[in-house]
Amino acid sequence: MLEREISVLLIEDEPEVAALMSAILKKAKNIQCQVDIAGQLTSGIDLLSQKKFNAILLDLSLPDSSGLETLRSVYARAGGTPIVVLTGIDDEEIATQAVRQGAQDYIVKGSTDINGMVRSVIYAIERKRSEEVLRKAHDELEEKVRERTAELQQANKNLLKEIEERREKEEEVRIANFRLKETQSQLIQAAKMEVVGGLASGVAHEVKNPLAIILQGVEYLERKIPSDDQSIVTTIGFIRNAVERADSIVRGLMDFSSIKEMNISKQQIVPIIDKGLMLLKHQFDKQHIKLEKQIADNLPDIAMDRNKIEQVLLNLLMNAADAMPKGGTLTLKIYTKDNLPDAMSLIVEILDSGSGIENDAIDQIFDPFFTTKRTKGGTGLGLSIVRSILETHKAGIEISNRPEGGAQITITFSI
Ligand SMILES: Nc1ncnc2c1ncn2[C@@H]1O[C@H](COP(=O)(O)OP(=O)(O)OP(=O)(O)O)[C@@H](O)[C@H]1O
Ligand SMILES: [Mg+2]
């Protein structure tokens, strides 16, 4: 909407033209037009700096400036006030250029009627104002887009953070679940051991004496019965084997019952391992088993029951030897590992190059009486005794198959 009162700066050097135009403007209907006249560029610019105008009517040919230079000078100081250029009849080319360079419109002097001229000024003001409104709306819109973009970026960031937090939580739940399952299977294992341990001592003591009597009987018969009767010799041999097997089971069960009786002292593990290896040297040589040792220096002492750890190592070394009937390599690694600050573990690894453990057996090898060597005299008590002894030492044991073949046993003592 146009203001009813407008003020116009008329920069025109010809006094008659200026007077005529001023009169025309002042006569306009519906508008009260106030006109200030400047006869030169400099005085026009002075007026511009003193007062605010709604429009500038500018003659390009002035005593102190001419052509488009005049427009540039005024435009630079107009502060957005619309400029309508006044040109002579022959100057339409310049007028068009003036419009390109920022003038709102042009009026050809002498050719304009009153209404045409007033309309031209009013349109110039209106156009300028529309431009302003548009520019403001555009700026506001841009600001809104900027704000919204920032909001979206923030929301995006929050979302990513939430996703990350959720992922961490899921990982925690997964680990907790894994620990729970592990604890569950340890509890089941412990319960099994409890049952076996409970039965063990009673049964073992009950059966030990009758077995000794049977064995004595077998030895008596072997001495008394003539050795040329082959079927009798074979039968008595069977009985002897069966009794010896029963006797080794009884001894295994008695080991169970004595696991909790510990005689702990701090000592080095290497001499115990060496003793085990010495006891088995003959068997290793016979089976062509090569031994490789990788033992770190300055190993710390461990609190342990020497006899029981000896029993653990013998069981494991014998299992490894059993798995390599046609020879192979047994590797022993002993080293320490830093866990948390102040916490350290001593690790014993026994690696063989034997058959490895069958996949469906891997979950059962620690079960009492689980054996794949029954026909060769295995009782299946070895690993369950090993595990129980290590548990009383607060040590862990893991068995896995090696990618290159054979099994790997890892014992972890905490120090
Ligand atoms: N190093 C190994 N390589 C392959 N299989 C193994 C190894 N150690 C143990 N096993 C498997 O685990 C089973 C259980 O072992 P465990 O020592 O408890 O009993 P065993 O050796 O069969 O009998 P025992 O120890 O009473 O002579 C074995 O029968 C064997 O199948
Ligand atoms: Mg064994």
Side-chain angles (χ1 to χ4, degrees), residues 376-387:
K376 294 173 200 139
T379 65
L381 288 173
L383 283 180
S384 42
I385 291 173
V386 162
R387 170 119 115 187

Side-chain angles (χ1 to χ4, degrees), residues 230-265:
Q230 198 50 45
S231 65
I232 292 176
V233 173
T234 315
T235 309
I236 292 177
F238 282 152
I239 298 172
R240 174 183 269 286
N241 281 347
V243 174
E244 279 171 358
R245 176 166 166 71
D247 189 55
S248 67
I249 292 178
V250 165
R251 265 186 282 114
L253 289 175
M254 285 169 77
D255 280 341
F256 263 119
S257 54
S258 67
I259 280 167
K260 291 200 180 89
E261 298 151 22
M262 299 262 277
N263 182 12
I264 299 280
S265 63

Side-chain angles (χ1 to χ4, degrees), residues 170-374:
E170 274 171 10
E171 183 60 15
E172 277 169 22
V173 170
R174 202 185 60 73
I175 292 171
N177 206 13
F178 175 75
R179 294 228 171 97
L180 194 70
K181 281 211 179 110
E182 217 178 40
T183 315
Q184 221 169 21
S185 70
Q186 278 168 1
L187 281 175
I188 292 170
Q189 188 69 23
K192 280 182 195 164
M193 300 310 290
E194 192 70 19
V195 172
V196 176
L199 285 172
S201 52
V203 173
H205 283 108
E206 286 303 317
V207 176
K208 206 172 66 158
N209 293 338
L211 278 180
I213 293 167
I214 296 173
L215 202 58
Q216 279 169 19
V218 168
E219 279 163 6
Y220 175 76
L221 290 175
E222 276 174 338
R223 269 183 272 122
K224 283 286 169 190
I225 290 176
S227 59
D228 50 353
D229 190 337
Q230 198 50 45
S231 65
I232 292 176
V233 173
T234 315
T235 309
I236 292 177
F238 282 152
I239 298 172
R240 174 183 269 286
N241 281 347
V243 174
E244 279 171 358
R245 176 166 166 71
D247 189 55
S248 67
I249 292 178
V250 165
R251 265 186 282 114
L253 289 175
M254 285 169 77
D255 280 341
F256 263 119
S257 54
S258 67
I259 280 167
K260 291 200 180 89
E261 298 151 22
M262 299 262 277
N263 182 12
I264 299 280
S265 63
K266 284 205 146 201
Q267 36 202 311
Q268 285 286 308
I269 193 144
V270 178
I272 302 175
I273 291 183
D274 284 343
K275 185 177 168 199
L277 291 170
M278 200 187 69
L279 289 174
L280 292 172
K281 187 176 181 326
H282 176 66
Q283 192 182 342
F284 277 25
D285 288 347
K286 208 171 76 187
Q287 279 181 231
H288 305 290
I289 294 171
K290 217 177 92 194
L291 186 67
E292 269 181 21
K293 286 204 249 175
Q294 298 172 21
I295 297 174
D297 295 330
N298 302 325
L299 293 169
D301 284 347
I302 304 171
M304 62 172 127
D305 180 318
R306 188 187 170 101
N307 291 334
K308 295 217 161 58
I309 293 298
E310 219 173 84
Q311 195 181 350
V312 164
L313 293 166
L314 271 178
N315 264 316
L316 296 173
L317 293 172
M318 266 152 53
N319 277 351
D322 289 346
M324 298 185 282
K326 297 195 178 103
T329 306
L330 186 120
T331 311
L332 258 172
K333 295 186 190 173
I334 310 176
Y335 55 92
T336 53
K337 198 172 107 186
D338 286 327
N339 301 328
L340 298 164
D342 306 335
M344 205 205 259
S345 307
L346 184 132
I347 317 277
V348 178
E349 283 179 15
I350 301 170
L351 305 107
D352 65 59
S353 63
S355 54
I357 302 146
E358 279 169 40
N359 277 340
D360 42 348
I362 209 143
D363 288 337
Q364 300 171 64
I365 52 174
F366 286 106
D367 285 357
F369 300 112
F370 175 83
T371 176
T372 55
K373 302 179 236 166
R374 199 170 300 282

Side-chain angles (χ1 to χ4, degrees), residues 36 39 42 64 69 98 112 115 130 137-138 150 194 206 217 260 271 287-288 319 360 375 395:
D36 284 45
T42 42
D64 53 349
E69 190 50 44
T112 317
N115 288 338
S130 304
H138 177 258
E194 192 70 19
E206 286 303 317
K260 291 200 180 89
Q287 279 181 231
H288 305 290
N319 277 351
D360 42 348
T375 52

